Every structure is written in C-alpha cells, then in structure tokens.
Amino acid sequence: MTTTPAAAPQISFEVETTVPTTHGTFAFRAYRDLVTGADHIAVVATRPDGSAPGGGALVRVHSECLTGEAFGSLKCECGPQLDAALNIIHEQGGVVVYLRGHEGRGIGLVDKLRAYRLQEDGYDTLDANLALGLPADSRQYGAAADILRDLGIDEIRLLSNNPEKRRQLVEHGIVVSELVPLVVGVGADNEGYLDTKRDRMGHQLPGHLPSDG
Ligand SMILES: [Zn+2]
C-alpha cells in the first residue's frame, strides 16, 4: 500500500530557548516562514503536570499588532488579548502561535495607519480598508497549522472569537474541537471596531459589549 506524502511544510524550525516573562516562563520556538519570509514564534507552556501540550491543547493563534502590543493603542484589543492568552496558557498549558506579517489584518503597518486616518473621517475598520483598495482581511493561517504539526499537535481548542481563523486551520488539517471565546480589552475607544468585527466580519462577540471606560 502506498501513502500520499504530506505536503511540504511552509515553515522551518530554527531554534528553541527558554524565556522568563511577566506571564511566567515559556519555551520560545522560532520558525521561518518559507512562503512570506516572516519569522514566527510559538510560545509553549507545559501542562500543570509538566507534560508537553499535545492533542486537545489550548492554542491562541495571534496576529502581530505593533500598535496594540508595543504602544498600548486602544483602537484594537490585541494587547490585552495577547496578555490574557499568555496568562491562560501559562496556567493550563498550551501554545500561543505568534504570526508576524499580520499587521492590520495583513495590510501592513503603513496602510494600517492610513486606514486609521480614514477612520478619523468616520469610516469603520472594514470600509477603511476597502476605500484604500485593500482586502478586509488577507491573513493566512497555513504557517500556524504547520507550526502546530511541528509541535505534534493536530487537535486544538482554539482561543479566539474569529470563525475564519477556525475555518482556515481546519482547511489546513487541524481539528478544532472548540472555539474558546477571548473577550478582553473592550473600551470606549474600540467599541465601534468590535461592533464591526461582530456585525460585518462574523466574529463571535457579545451583542452588547461591556465598556471599561
Ligand atoms: Zn491590534
């Protein structure tokens, strides 16, 4: 009997090192994306019994967001989402797959700021991209699926509100047994942004979002 060889992975594993953080200590595994040239990181925490996260692991597939994560921008909730994901994964064991080259849902930093400028004139987060002739969301998750497979994980509980992320991971051969909601960092400055993600982009968010200011 012959078996069909699996498609060549889109990523190559480069190095693993242990890094203490304010969220706890993790293994950082660096990967190179052979398609886009970006460097991605898998941040891995063992389970409470010390075992490596395997099948059914809690996983956050997180898109790089310089403005939200490095500068604390309140226009999105990426910073608080990443913080919360690292805390949960440190506690329960699991992986944060951090994908670079995903700034502004894939349009890049400069066009993201161009879209913000249009939002000052009243465009919502989706229409601003479209007005610039850019896709609403061009992020691809094939690299994330390959990184999970490299970790020996082919079934996950996905920490996300985004059904499109789930759909793509499933398309790339990862079983997503559960979508675990991650609703944090909601405030007056990003309510409209989150409403658009819910009403126009299919994100699973509460109908009336709580505001913390
Ligand atoms: Zn963001």
Side-chain angles (χ1 to χ4, degrees):
M1 190 181 98
T2 55
T3 53
T4 309
Q10 179 183 334
I11 48 89
S12 70
F13 168 70
E14 299 295 329
V15 65
E16 174 175 331
T17 185
T18 301
V19 179
T21 76
T22 54
H23 307 277
T25 297
F26 299 90
F28 278 27
R29 291 171 62 86
Y31 293 86
R32 185 144 294 140
D33 192 313
L34 303 174
V35 173
T36 68
D39 299 323
H40 306 305
I41 294 185
V43 179
V44 184
T46 54
R47 290 183 160 137
D49 67 3
S51 64
L58 189 62
V59 170
R60 167 78 183 163
V61 175
H62 189 90
S63 295
E64 172 179 34
C65 174
L66 183 78
T67 52
E69 292 155 13
F71 302 115
S73 161
L74 299 175
K75 286 185 68 68
C76 60
E77 81 284 41
C78 305
Q81 280 190 327
L82 181 60
D83 288 341
L86 288 167
N87 287 339
I88 296 167
I89 276 157
H90 184 260
E91 190 182 296
Q92 299 187 15
V95 185
V96 174
V97 178
Y98 187 88
L99 296 172
R100 311 217 30 232
H102 272 200
E103 192 78 38
R105 295 195 300 271
I107 64 176
L109 183 61
V110 171
D111 281 329
K112 177 185 185 176
L113 296 188
R114 284 199 177 102
Y116 281 0
R117 175 64 197 85
L118 284 179
Q119 288 169 36
E120 291 178 28
D121 296 335
Y123 287 79
D124 73 19
T125 184
L126 194 157
D127 285 332
N129 279 28
L130 301 180
L132 291 168
L134 298 167
D137 193 340
S138 58
R139 291 174 296 178
Q140 301 290 319
Y141 298 98
D146 283 340
I147 288 170
L148 291 170
R149 263 189 290 277
D150 179 71
L151 291 164
I153 298 171
D154 55 12
E155 182 184 347
I156 64 172
R157 289 177 298 131
L158 182 64
L159 202 49
S160 175
N161 310 313
N162 184 354
E164 170 62 14
K165 204 178 283 184
R166 172 189 217 161
R167 190 194 67 74
Q168 282 201 31
L169 289 170
V170 168
E171 191 178 279
H172 288 285
I174 300 295
V175 176
V176 180
S177 61
E178 192 186 343
L179 206 55
V180 181
L182 182 62
V183 182
V184 291
V186 178
D189 292 305
N190 62 19
E191 268 178 313
Y193 163 82
L194 293 168
D195 285 345
T196 300
K197 288 218 289 195
R198 181 192 63 231
D199 298 339
R200 304 190 61 195
M201 305 181 81
H203 287 221
Q204 293 176 7
L205 290 162
H208 178 68
L209 293 164
S211 172
D212 61 7

